[in-house]
Amino acid sequence: MTPPAIPAAPPATATATGTDTLTALRARLDAADAALLDAIRTRLDICLRIGEYKRLHQVPMMQPHRIAQVHANAARYAADHGIDPAFLRTLYDTIITETCRLEDEWIASGGTPAHASAHASGGTSAHASAHASAHASAPAHGAVS
C-alpha cells in the first residue's frame, strides 16, 4: 500500500523576484534544520541521562520493548501526517543506533564525560551493531521490533 502523499504546501508569496522567494524559503528551511539538529542534540542528551540511570540501577542496556514503542509512535505519526512510514523507520533506526552507541559508551566508561570525543569519532558499539543487525532482516513497512 502506498502511503498518502504529503499535502502540498501553500504557494509561496512572491516578493520582488523568484530568487527572493527562493532565498526566503531556504532561510525557513535553514531555521527548520537548526531546530531539527537542536532536537536531535536534546534527544541524545536525554538518552545519556537514561544511560546513567541504567548504569546506576543495573538496568539492562537493550530494551527491545522501548525501541518497538518508539517505532510504533513514529508509524502513527507517519500515518497521521502523510509521511512515508519507511522513511521514519529508517530515520529512527539511525537515531536509535547512535543513542545505543552513546549509552553503551556511557555505561562502559562508568559515567565519565569521555563519550564526547568518542561521539565525534562516529564509532559503532556492540549494542548499536546488534540493533542494526536486528533490523536488517525486519520488513521495511509495518512491523516493529
PDB file of all heavy atoms in Angstrom, residues 9-43:
ATOM      1  N   ALA A   9       2.307  22.243  -0.026  1.00  0.00           N
ATOM      2  CA  ALA A   9       2.471  23.445   0.790  1.00  0.00           C
ATOM      3  C   ALA A   9       1.724  24.588   0.133  1.00  0.00           C
ATOM      4  O   ALA A   9       1.520  24.589  -1.082  1.00  0.00           O
ATOM      5  CB  ALA A   9       3.954  23.789   0.907  1.00  0.00           C
ATOM      6  N   PRO A  10       1.310  25.553   0.927  1.00  0.00           N
ATOM      7  CA  PRO A  10       0.662  26.712   0.323  1.00  0.00           C
ATOM      8  C   PRO A  10       1.621  27.387  -0.657  1.00  0.00           C
ATOM      9  O   PRO A  10       2.834  27.315  -0.476  1.00  0.00           O
ATOM     10  CB  PRO A  10       0.356  27.639   1.498  1.00  0.00           C
ATOM     11  CG  PRO A  10       0.819  26.962   2.716  1.00  0.00           C
ATOM     12  CD  PRO A  10       1.452  25.653   2.348  1.00  0.00           C
ATOM     13  N   PRO A  11       1.113  27.993  -1.682  1.00  0.00           N
ATOM     14  CA  PRO A  11       2.011  28.646  -2.642  1.00  0.00           C
ATOM     15  C   PRO A  11       2.824  29.742  -1.963  1.00  0.00           C
ATOM     16  O   PRO A  11       2.344  30.413  -1.063  1.00  0.00           O
ATOM     17  CB  PRO A  11       1.064  29.237  -3.686  1.00  0.00           C
ATOM     18  CG  PRO A  11      -0.286  29.215  -3.077  1.00  0.00           C
ATOM     19  CD  PRO A  11      -0.288  28.193  -1.987  1.00  0.00           C
ATOM     20  N   ALA A  12       4.059  29.843  -2.403  1.00  0.00           N
ATOM     21  CA  ALA A  12       4.929  30.884  -1.860  1.00  0.00           C
ATOM     22  C   ALA A  12       4.432  32.240  -2.339  1.00  0.00           C
ATOM     23  O   ALA A  12       3.973  32.386  -3.463  1.00  0.00           O
ATOM     24  CB  ALA A  12       6.360  30.656  -2.331  1.00  0.00           C
ATOM     25  N   THR A  13       4.506  33.199  -1.455  1.00  0.00           N
ATOM     26  CA  THR A  13       4.125  34.558  -1.830  1.00  0.00           C
ATOM     27  C   THR A  13       5.321  35.191  -2.503  1.00  0.00           C
ATOM     28  O   THR A  13       6.396  35.294  -1.917  1.00  0.00           O
ATOM     29  CB  THR A  13       3.740  35.372  -0.575  1.00  0.00           C
ATOM     30  OG1 THR A  13       2.726  34.660   0.109  1.00  0.00           O
ATOM     31  CG2 THR A  13       3.264  36.750  -0.939  1.00  0.00           C
ATOM     32  N   ALA A  14       5.137  35.572  -3.723  1.00  0.00           N
ATOM     33  CA  ALA A  14       6.242  36.165  -4.475  1.00  0.00           C
ATOM     34  C   ALA A  14       6.572  37.541  -3.932  1.00  0.00           C
ATOM     35  O   ALA A  14       5.700  38.316  -3.608  1.00  0.00           O
ATOM     36  CB  ALA A  14       5.890  36.260  -5.949  1.00  0.00           C
ATOM     37  N   THR A  15       7.862  37.770  -3.804  1.00  0.00           N
ATOM     38  CA  THR A  15       8.312  39.109  -3.466  1.00  0.00           C
ATOM     39  C   THR A  15       8.732  39.756  -4.782  1.00  0.00           C
ATOM     40  O   THR A  15       8.122  39.493  -5.805  1.00  0.00           O
ATOM     41  CB  THR A  15       9.459  39.051  -2.435  1.00  0.00           C
ATOM     42  OG1 THR A  15      10.486  38.215  -2.934  1.00  0.00           O
ATOM     43  CG2 THR A  15       8.957  38.524  -1.112  1.00  0.00           C
ATOM     44  N   ALA A  16       9.782  40.497  -4.774  1.00  0.00           N
ATOM     45  CA  ALA A  16      10.191  41.202  -5.990  1.00  0.00           C
ATOM     46  C   ALA A  16      10.574  40.236  -7.113  1.00  0.00           C
ATOM     47  O   ALA A  16      10.249  40.467  -8.262  1.00  0.00           O
ATOM     48  CB  ALA A  16      11.346  42.143  -5.692  1.00  0.00           C
ATOM     49  N   THR A  17      11.274  39.153  -6.773  1.00  0.00           N
ATOM     50  CA  THR A  17      11.688  38.195  -7.798  1.00  0.00           C
ATOM     51  C   THR A  17      11.533  36.784  -7.267  1.00  0.00           C
ATOM     52  O   THR A  17      11.387  36.560  -6.067  1.00  0.00           O
ATOM     53  CB  THR A  17      13.179  38.396  -8.174  1.00  0.00           C
ATOM     54  OG1 THR A  17      13.970  38.009  -7.052  1.00  0.00           O
ATOM     55  CG2 THR A  17      13.483  39.818  -8.563  1.00  0.00           C
ATOM     56  N   GLY A  18      11.596  35.818  -8.164  1.00  0.00           N
ATOM     57  CA  GLY A  18      11.568  34.420  -7.756  1.00  0.00           C
ATOM     58  C   GLY A  18      12.737  34.074  -6.864  1.00  0.00           C
ATOM     59  O   GLY A  18      12.629  33.245  -5.972  1.00  0.00           O
ATOM     60  N   THR A  19      13.886  34.692  -7.078  1.00  0.00           N
ATOM     61  CA  THR A  19      15.067  34.452  -6.262  1.00  0.00           C
ATOM     62  C   THR A  19      14.814  34.890  -4.824  1.00  0.00           C
ATOM     63  O   THR A  19      15.197  34.204  -3.886  1.00  0.00           O
ATOM     64  CB  THR A  19      16.284  35.199  -6.832  1.00  0.00           C
ATOM     65  OG1 THR A  19      16.476  34.770  -8.181  1.00  0.00           O
ATOM     66  CG2 THR A  19      17.526  34.917  -6.021  1.00  0.00           C
ATOM     67  N   ASP A  20      14.122  36.014  -4.634  1.00  0.00           N
ATOM     68  CA  ASP A  20      13.800  36.466  -3.280  1.00  0.00           C
ATOM     69  C   ASP A  20      12.945  35.433  -2.566  1.00  0.00           C
ATOM     70  O   ASP A  20      13.151  35.140  -1.404  1.00  0.00           O
ATOM     71  CB  ASP A  20      13.074  37.817  -3.312  1.00  0.00           C
ATOM     72  CG  ASP A  20      13.973  38.945  -3.773  1.00  0.00           C
ATOM     73  OD1 ASP A  20      15.200  38.817  -3.653  1.00  0.00           O
ATOM     74  OD2 ASP A  20      13.425  39.950  -4.251  1.00  0.00           O
ATOM     75  N   THR A  21      11.992  34.855  -3.280  1.00  0.00           N
ATOM     76  CA  THR A  21      11.138  33.843  -2.681  1.00  0.00           C
ATOM     77  C   THR A  21      11.956  32.609  -2.341  1.00  0.00           C
ATOM     78  O   THR A  21      11.820  32.042  -1.261  1.00  0.00           O
ATOM     79  CB  THR A  21       9.990  33.474  -3.645  1.00  0.00           C
ATOM     80  OG1 THR A  21       9.240  34.648  -3.902  1.00  0.00           O
ATOM     81  CG2 THR A  21       9.092  32.428  -3.054  1.00  0.00           C
ATOM     82  N   LEU A  22      12.824  32.177  -3.259  1.00  0.00           N
ATOM     83  CA  LEU A  22      13.665  31.025  -3.009  1.00  0.00           C
ATOM     84  C   LEU A  22      14.587  31.289  -1.824  1.00  0.00           C
ATOM     85  O   LEU A  22      14.762  30.423  -0.953  1.00  0.00           O
ATOM     86  CB  LEU A  22      14.478  30.687  -4.262  1.00  0.00           C
ATOM     87  CG  LEU A  22      15.368  29.454  -4.172  1.00  0.00           C
ATOM     88  CD1 LEU A  22      14.560  28.210  -3.823  1.00  0.00           C
ATOM     89  CD2 LEU A  22      16.113  29.262  -5.481  1.00  0.00           C
ATOM     90  N   THR A  23      15.133  32.471  -1.745  1.00  0.00           N
ATOM     91  CA  THR A  23      16.010  32.829  -0.623  1.00  0.00           C
ATOM     92  C   THR A  23      15.231  32.770   0.686  1.00  0.00           C
ATOM     93  O   THR A  23      15.724  32.232   1.684  1.00  0.00           O
ATOM     94  CB  THR A  23      16.607  34.236  -0.844  1.00  0.00           C
ATOM     95  OG1 THR A  23      17.380  34.203  -2.050  1.00  0.00           O
ATOM     96  CG2 THR A  23      17.484  34.661   0.321  1.00  0.00           C
ATOM     97  N   ALA A  24      14.022  33.300   0.693  1.00  0.00           N
ATOM     98  CA  ALA A  24      13.203  33.286   1.906  1.00  0.00           C
ATOM     99  C   ALA A  24      12.844  31.858   2.296  1.00  0.00           C
ATOM    100  O   ALA A  24      12.889  31.491   3.484  1.00  0.00           O
ATOM    101  CB  ALA A  24      11.948  34.127   1.699  1.00  0.00           C
ATOM    102  N   LEU A  25      12.491  31.041   1.320  1.00  0.00           N
ATOM    103  CA  LEU A  25      12.152  29.643   1.614  1.00  0.00           C
ATOM    104  C   LEU A  25      13.372  28.887   2.136  1.00  0.00           C
ATOM    105  O   LEU A  25      13.261  28.084   3.070  1.00  0.00           O
ATOM    106  CB  LEU A  25      11.588  28.953   0.374  1.00  0.00           C
ATOM    107  CG  LEU A  25      10.194  29.421  -0.047  1.00  0.00           C
ATOM    108  CD1 LEU A  25       9.828  28.835  -1.410  1.00  0.00           C
ATOM    109  CD2 LEU A  25       9.161  29.044   1.004  1.00  0.00           C
ATOM    110  N   ARG A  26      14.523  29.153   1.551  1.00  0.00           N
ATOM    111  CA  ARG A  26      15.747  28.494   2.040  1.00  0.00           C
ATOM    112  C   ARG A  26      16.091  28.941   3.450  1.00  0.00           C
ATOM    113  O   ARG A  26      16.584  28.142   4.264  1.00  0.00           O
ATOM    114  CB  ARG A  26      16.902  28.752   1.082  1.00  0.00           C
ATOM    115  CG  ARG A  26      16.773  27.923  -0.188  1.00  0.00           C
ATOM    116  CD  ARG A  26      17.904  28.158  -1.136  1.00  0.00           C
ATOM    117  NE  ARG A  26      17.811  27.250  -2.281  1.00  0.00           N
ATOM    118  CZ  ARG A  26      18.413  27.456  -3.434  1.00  0.00           C
ATOM    119  NH1 ARG A  26      19.173  28.531  -3.607  1.00  0.00           N
ATOM    120  NH2 ARG A  26      18.278  26.592  -4.409  1.00  0.00           N
ATOM    121  N   ALA A  27      15.841  30.190   3.763  1.00  0.00           N
ATOM    122  CA  ALA A  27      16.085  30.677   5.129  1.00  0.00           C
ATOM    123  C   ALA A  27      15.163  29.950   6.110  1.00  0.00           C
ATOM    124  O   ALA A  27      15.592  29.557   7.206  1.00  0.00           O
ATOM    125  CB  ALA A  27      15.877  32.185   5.206  1.00  0.00           C
ATOM    126  N   ARG A  28      13.908  29.744   5.720  1.00  0.00           N
ATOM    127  CA  ARG A  28      12.973  28.992   6.576  1.00  0.00           C
ATOM    128  C   ARG A  28      13.442  27.549   6.729  1.00  0.00           C
ATOM    129  O   ARG A  28      13.349  26.971   7.810  1.00  0.00           O
ATOM    130  CB  ARG A  28      11.566  29.037   6.004  1.00  0.00           C
ATOM    131  CG  ARG A  28      10.915  30.419   6.128  1.00  0.00           C
ATOM    132  CD  ARG A  28       9.516  30.463   5.559  1.00  0.00           C
ATOM    133  NE  ARG A  28       8.653  29.496   6.231  1.00  0.00           N
ATOM    134  CZ  ARG A  28       7.526  29.025   5.714  1.00  0.00           C
ATOM    135  NH1 ARG A  28       7.099  29.435   4.530  1.00  0.00           N
ATOM    136  NH2 ARG A  28       6.797  28.160   6.385  1.00  0.00           N
ATOM    137  N   LEU A  29      13.928  26.970   5.629  1.00  0.00           N
ATOM    138  CA  LEU A  29      14.434  25.600   5.678  1.00  0.00           C
ATOM    139  C   LEU A  29      15.649  25.514   6.601  1.00  0.00           C
ATOM    140  O   LEU A  29      15.766  24.583   7.417  1.00  0.00           O
ATOM    141  CB  LEU A  29      14.789  25.122   4.273  1.00  0.00           C
ATOM    142  CG  LEU A  29      15.260  23.672   4.159  1.00  0.00           C
ATOM    143  CD1 LEU A  29      14.200  22.696   4.657  1.00  0.00           C
ATOM    144  CD2 LEU A  29      15.622  23.378   2.714  1.00  0.00           C
ATOM    145  N   ASP A  30      16.552  26.485   6.502  1.00  0.00           N
ATOM    146  CA  ASP A  30      17.724  26.515   7.377  1.00  0.00           C
ATOM    147  C   ASP A  30      17.306  26.613   8.845  1.00  0.00           C
ATOM    148  O   ASP A  30      17.904  25.969   9.716  1.00  0.00           O
ATOM    149  CB  ASP A  30      18.654  27.672   7.010  1.00  0.00           C
ATOM    150  CG  ASP A  30      19.363  27.453   5.679  1.00  0.00           C
ATOM    151  OD1 ASP A  30      19.373  26.322   5.155  1.00  0.00           O
ATOM    152  OD2 ASP A  30      19.909  28.453   5.148  1.00  0.00           O
ATOM    153  N   ALA A  31      16.285  27.412   9.125  1.00  0.00           N
ATOM    154  CA  ALA A  31      15.783  27.534  10.503  1.00  0.00           C
ATOM    155  C   ALA A  31      15.174  26.208  10.967  1.00  0.00           C
ATOM    156  O   ALA A  31      15.380  25.791  12.118  1.00  0.00           O
ATOM    157  CB  ALA A  31      14.767  28.671  10.600  1.00  0.00           C
ATOM    158  N   ALA A  32      14.435  25.540  10.079  1.00  0.00           N
ATOM    159  CA  ALA A  32      13.859  24.241  10.429  1.00  0.00           C
ATOM    160  C   ALA A  32      14.965  23.218  10.674  1.00  0.00           C
ATOM    161  O   ALA A  32      14.888  22.408  11.605  1.00  0.00           O
ATOM    162  CB  ALA A  32      12.910  23.765   9.326  1.00  0.00           C
ATOM    163  N   ASP A  33      16.016  23.250   9.845  1.00  0.00           N
ATOM    164  CA  ASP A  33      17.153  22.341  10.039  1.00  0.00           C
ATOM    165  C   ASP A  33      17.826  22.595  11.385  1.00  0.00           C
ATOM    166  O   ASP A  33      18.194  21.653  12.088  1.00  0.00           O
ATOM    167  CB  ASP A  33      18.176  22.494   8.913  1.00  0.00           C
ATOM    168  CG  ASP A  33      17.727  21.832   7.616  1.00  0.00           C
ATOM    169  OD1 ASP A  33      16.771  21.020   7.634  1.00  0.00           O
ATOM    170  OD2 ASP A  33      18.348  22.139   6.575  1.00  0.00           O
ATOM    171  N   ALA A  34      18.005  23.858  11.743  1.00  0.00           N
ATOM    172  CA  ALA A  34      18.622  24.186  13.027  1.00  0.00           C
ATOM    173  C   ALA A  34      17.776  23.651  14.180  1.00  0.00           C
ATOM    174  O   ALA A  34      18.310  23.087  15.145  1.00  0.00           O
ATOM    175  CB  ALA A  34      18.825  25.696  13.155  1.00  0.00           C
ATOM    176  N   ALA A  35      16.456  23.789  14.075  1.00  0.00           N
ATOM    177  CA  ALA A  35      15.562  23.273  15.116  1.00  0.00           C
ATOM    178  C   ALA A  35      15.640  21.744  15.177  1.00  0.00           C
ATOM    179  O   ALA A  35      15.641  21.153  16.268  1.00  0.00           O
ATOM    180  CB  ALA A  35      14.127  23.735  14.859  1.00  0.00           C
ATOM    181  N   LEU A  36      15.707  21.099  14.017  1.00  0.00           N
ATOM    182  CA  LEU A  36      15.829  19.637  13.965  1.00  0.00           C
ATOM    183  C   LEU A  36      17.124  19.184  14.635  1.00  0.00           C
ATOM    184  O   LEU A  36      17.127  18.261  15.455  1.00  0.00           O
ATOM    185  CB  LEU A  36      15.778  19.162  12.512  1.00  0.00           C
ATOM    186  CG  LEU A  36      16.005  17.672  12.267  1.00  0.00           C
ATOM    187  CD1 LEU A  36      14.912  16.833  12.922  1.00  0.00           C
ATOM    188  CD2 LEU A  36      16.063  17.407  10.766  1.00  0.00           C
ATOM    189  N   LEU A  37      18.229  19.832  14.307  1.00  0.00           N
ATOM    190  CA  LEU A  37      19.514  19.472  14.903  1.00  0.00           C
ATOM    191  C   LEU A  37      19.522  19.713  16.407  1.00  0.00           C
ATOM    192  O   LEU A  37      20.066  18.905  17.176  1.00  0.00           O
ATOM    193  CB  LEU A  37      20.645  20.227  14.210  1.00  0.00           C
ATOM    194  CG  LEU A  37      20.859  19.838  12.742  1.00  0.00           C
ATOM    195  CD1 LEU A  37      21.866  20.779  12.091  1.00  0.00           C
ATOM    196  CD2 LEU A  37      21.278  18.387  12.601  1.00  0.00           C
ATOM    197  N   ASP A  38      18.901  20.804  16.856  1.00  0.00           N
ATOM    198  CA  ASP A  38      18.788  21.059  18.294  1.00  0.00           C
ATOM    199  C   ASP A  38      17.956  19.968  18.969  1.00  0.00           C
ATOM    200  O   ASP A  38      18.280  19.516  20.069  1.00  0.00           O
ATOM    201  CB  ASP A  38      18.166  22.428  18.574  1.00  0.00           C
ATOM    202  CG  ASP A  38      19.154  23.573  18.379  1.00  0.00           C
ATOM    203  OD1 ASP A  38      20.383  23.329  18.352  1.00  0.00           O
ATOM    204  OD2 ASP A  38      18.683  24.722  18.251  1.00  0.00           O
ATOM    205  N   ALA A  39      16.881  19.536  18.310  1.00  0.00           N
ATOM    206  CA  ALA A  39      16.036  18.471  18.868  1.00  0.00           C
ATOM    207  C   ALA A  39      16.815  17.164  18.960  1.00  0.00           C
ATOM    208  O   ALA A  39      16.700  16.430  19.950  1.00  0.00           O
ATOM    209  CB  ALA A  39      14.774  18.299  18.029  1.00  0.00           C
ATOM    210  N   ILE A  40      17.622  16.861  17.958  1.00  0.00           N
ATOM    211  CA  ILE A  40      18.438  15.645  17.997  1.00  0.00           C
ATOM    212  C   ILE A  40      19.465  15.732  19.120  1.00  0.00           C
ATOM    213  O   ILE A  40      19.660  14.771  19.875  1.00  0.00           O
ATOM    214  CB  ILE A  40      19.107  15.384  16.632  1.00  0.00           C
ATOM    215  CG1 ILE A  40      18.041  14.985  15.606  1.00  0.00           C
ATOM    216  CG2 ILE A  40      20.191  14.301  16.757  1.00  0.00           C
ATOM    217  CD1 ILE A  40      18.547  14.917  14.182  1.00  0.00           C
ATOM    218  N   ARG A  41      20.110  16.881  19.252  1.00  0.00           N
ATOM    219  CA  ARG A  41      21.078  17.063  20.340  1.00  0.00           C
ATOM    220  C   ARG A  41      20.402  16.875  21.696  1.00  0.00           C
ATOM    221  O   ARG A  41      20.925  16.208  22.587  1.00  0.00           O
ATOM    222  CB  ARG A  41      21.729  18.452  20.272  1.00  0.00           C
ATOM    223  CG  ARG A  41      22.852  18.615  21.304  1.00  0.00           C
ATOM    224  CD  ARG A  41      23.244  20.053  21.478  1.00  0.00           C
ATOM    225  NE  ARG A  41      22.069  20.747  22.000  1.00  0.00           N
ATOM    226  CZ  ARG A  41      21.797  22.020  21.806  1.00  0.00           C
ATOM    227  NH1 ARG A  41      22.605  22.774  21.117  1.00  0.00           N
ATOM    228  NH2 ARG A  41      20.715  22.556  22.307  1.00  0.00           N
ATOM    229  N   THR A  42      19.204  17.437  21.868  1.00  0.00           N
ATOM    230  CA  THR A  42      18.455  17.278  23.116  1.00  0.00           C
ATOM    231  C   THR A  42      18.123  15.812  23.352  1.00  0.00           C
ATOM    232  O   THR A  42      18.255  15.302  24.468  1.00  0.00           O
ATOM    233  CB  THR A  42      17.167  18.126  23.076  1.00  0.00           C
ATOM    234  OG1 THR A  42      17.533  19.500  22.958  1.00  0.00           O
ATOM    235  CG2 THR A  42      16.317  17.915  24.319  1.00  0.00           C
ATOM    236  N   ARG A  43      17.709  15.114  22.296  1.00  0.00           N
ATOM    237  CA  ARG A  43      17.369  13.697  22.419  1.00  0.00           C
ATOM    238  C   ARG A  43      18.599  12.893  22.847  1.00  0.00           C
ATOM    239  O   ARG A  43      18.505  12.014  23.708  1.00  0.00           O
ATOM    240  CB  ARG A  43      16.817  13.160  21.100  1.00  0.00           C
ATOM    241  CG  ARG A  43      16.219  11.766  21.230  1.00  0.00           C
ATOM    242  CD  ARG A  43      15.722  11.254  19.895  1.00  0.00           C
ATOM    243  NE  ARG A  43      14.813  10.138  20.040  1.00  0.00           N
ATOM    244  CZ  ARG A  43      15.180   8.901  20.373  1.00  0.00           C
ATOM    245  NH1 ARG A  43      16.451   8.624  20.623  1.00  0.00           N
ATOM    246  NH2 ARG A  43      14.269   7.949  20.478  1.00  0.00           N
TER     247      ARG A  43
END
